[in-house]
Amino acid sequence: MAELTFTDLSKTFGGTPALDAINAQIASGEFVALLGPSGCGKTTLLRLTAGFEHPSAGEIRIGGETVAGAGRFVSPEDREIGIVFQSYALWPHKSVFDNVAYPLEVRRIPRAARQARVAEALSLTGLGAFADRMPSQLSGGQRQRVALARCLVFEPRAVLLDEPLANLDLALRASMQDVFRMFHRRTGATMLYVTHDQSEALALADRVAVMKAGKIRQFAAPEILYREPADCFVAGFVGDGAVVSARITGRADHAGLMLNVLGQDVVSRSADPEPSHVSIRPESITLADDAPLRARVTSCTYLGGRFRLELDTAGETLVAFSCQRAAIGETVGVRLHDLWAFRDPEGDVVLQKALADA
Ligand SMILES: Nc1ncnc2c1ncn2[C@@H]1O[C@H](COP(=O)(O)OP(=O)(O)O)[C@@H](O)[C@H]1O
Ligand SMILES: [Mg+2]
């Protein structure tokens, strides 16, 4: 298992930047998700890491070894990286066993050792009974397991996964998430997992790199992205809730700021002394009859155990949770607390566009 390091990594296609000066370090054994809307450069970053593309500038290191940049280029075969695509990329004319054995054949591993390692990889991925099947005789989820077993078998330094669940239905996706978790736990592999599905990224990864237009906007643990988003884009793309503008009205005790949000004074947390916006998660809203901020219920959805309400107030749409059903059109009182504030000079315009793109 190896650490991955990207330094000032850029890639342009015909003069258009697909990746713009990416700097990131992924620890050995870490499970990292690349999350962002279509076209933000996720696949390009994976292809550069795998060695299918040359960088336009910058450097990639795997386990301390420079594999691209600084005048060096290590070919894909010599990078010892496993890759899982959404299209599975299995050999259609080879059995499950032979598909999984292929990386070992290429590496000229003797037959007896090959048999043992393939059997182990098949049993780990729950495919023990399918060794003799052809890919056409398998379900989508089973084919994806074969692709994983093929990575497992040669103990790669890192495993790259490009939207591996995109072709599967919802129920299967949830059970395959468990398979990826098991795979990661058993192998301790460094994993770079591309998805445009924020719930998948938050559920699976140790850390998530949120990307937009060829740049990483924030690279942090899921709970940090949710509680402390860096800008309007991250706040809007990750998790539920609203992003609204805010104005400083004073400094509160204990490093808190007093902000005017939707006409209310609210003590907020921030890493910036001059924030311009706040993220309002559903957990930051309490419904109270006597609260001065009034809002109109525009939607009420039962989630099991609680209701998700959309509330219109002062031209903004807030999201709140409630134990009780609310009537559409009803007016409720809203109390805000524990908001996270940040500075985003591009502000509202960018947010609207980002949400439209997403
Ligand atoms: N081989 C290529 N030739 C030209 N443009 C490309 C090529 N590959 C990717 N791009 C462009 O680079 C940008 C990023 O693409 P990609 O990495 O596939 O995004 P994502 O995987 O996040 O959807 C897009 O604008 C895409 O059109
Ligand atoms: Mg892609």
Side-chain angles (χ1 to χ4, degrees):
M1 298 313 137
E3 177 183 280
L4 298 176
T5 311
F6 307 118
T7 309
D8 292 328
L9 185 66
S10 294
K11 178 69 182 175
T12 57
F13 291 107
T16 311
L19 284 179
D20 187 2
I22 296 289
N23 284 289
Q25 194 160 17
I26 295 157
S28 179
E30 199 175 13
F31 193 145
V32 164
L34 300 177
L35 172 69
S38 178
C40 71
K42 305 180 296 295
T43 295
T44 302
L45 187 53
L46 280 203
R47 291 177 55 80
L48 283 164
T49 308
F52 301 146
E53 304 275 0
H54 289 250
S56 306
E59 202 178 310
I60 302 172
R61 274 178 291 149
I62 302 178
E65 175 201 8
T66 299
V67 295
R72 278 178 56 81
F73 188 81
V74 176
S75 68
E77 314 79 85
D78 295 327
R79 292 192 186 189
E80 291 293 305
I81 277 182
I83 302 170
V84 178
F85 297 104
Q86 87 182 53
S87 59
Y88 320 125
L90 303 179
W91 299 102
H93 56 281
K94 285 184 193 282
S95 69
V96 166
F97 188 97
D98 289 341
N99 263 285
V100 175
Y102 184 74
L104 300 179
E105 262 173 58
V106 174
R107 287 169 179 78
R108 305 195 183 288
I109 307 287
R111 190 180 174 79
R114 219 156 67 201
Q115 300 269 358
R117 277 163 70 173
V118 172
E120 190 195 357
L122 289 179
S123 114
L124 268 176
T125 46
L127 289 168
F130 300 90
D132 297 328
R133 294 247 190 127
M134 300 306 279
S136 60
Q137 298 170 303
L138 300 177
S139 71
Q142 289 166 338
R143 288 181 208 182
Q144 203 51 284
R145 286 170 196 251
V146 176
L148 268 181
R150 193 176 47 185
C151 284
L152 197 71
V153 80
F154 73 97
E155 292 164 11
R157 295 200 289 177
V159 180
L160 313 179
L161 306 103
D162 195 352
E163 312 229 10
L165 305 184
N167 284 342
L168 305 181
D169 65 47
L170 211 61
L172 200 50
R173 260 187 260 168
S175 80
M176 282 304 289
Q177 285 187 12
D178 291 338
V179 174
F180 289 129
R181 267 193 216 99
M182 180 278 296
F183 178 93
H184 184 239
R185 216 170 34 239
R186 295 281 183 94
T187 62
T190 308
M191 298 192 31
L192 198 49
Y193 186 104
V194 162
T195 179
H196 65 270
D197 179 339
Q198 53 110 5
S199 63
E200 200 171 291
L202 299 186
L204 282 174
D206 298 319
R207 283 194 303 156
V208 179
V210 183
M211 296 180 63
K212 174 156 190 275
K215 287 185 189 296
I216 294 178
R217 291 298 196 93
Q218 189 171 6
F219 190 8
E223 58 275 25
I224 301 287
L225 292 180
Y226 187 85
R227 273 182 61 80
E228 303 180 353
D231 59 25
C232 291
F233 175 73
V234 175
F237 197 74
V238 176
D240 206 356
V243 182
V244 306
S245 60
R247 187 169 48 80
I248 300 187
T249 55
R251 313 267 158 196
D253 293 344
H254 305 300
L257 291 171
M258 189 61 82
L259 298 180
N260 188 284
V261 179
L262 299 167
Q264 309 298 307
D265 278 337
V266 188
V267 177
S268 305
R269 299 170 294 120
S270 183
D272 195 294
E274 303 287 337
S276 59
H277 292 77
V278 286
S279 164
I280 308 177
R281 300 298 185 192
E283 295 80 11
S284 296
I285 294 182
T286 306
L287 301 180
D289 288 339
D290 60 343
L293 179 60
R294 311 305 291 174
R296 208 174 69 88
V297 177
T298 56
S299 144
C300 176
T301 311
Y302 188 52
L303 300 179
R306 61 185 176 176
F307 295 87
R308 179 184 181 277
L309 309 184
E310 290 189 7
L311 308 169
D312 266 14
T313 181
E316 304 285 353
T317 302
L318 306 181
V319 177
F321 293 142
S322 167
C323 298
Q324 280 136 32
R325 184 182 291 280
I328 306 295
E330 181 185 346
T331 297
V332 294
V334 169
R335 193 165 283 138
L336 303 172
H337 47 87
D338 191 35
L339 303 183
W340 172 254
F342 49 84
R343 172 159 41 173
D344 190 340
E346 297 168 10
D348 294 326
V349 182
V350 171
L351 177 67
Q352 293 313 325
K353 183 161 179 346
L355 295 177
D357 290 347

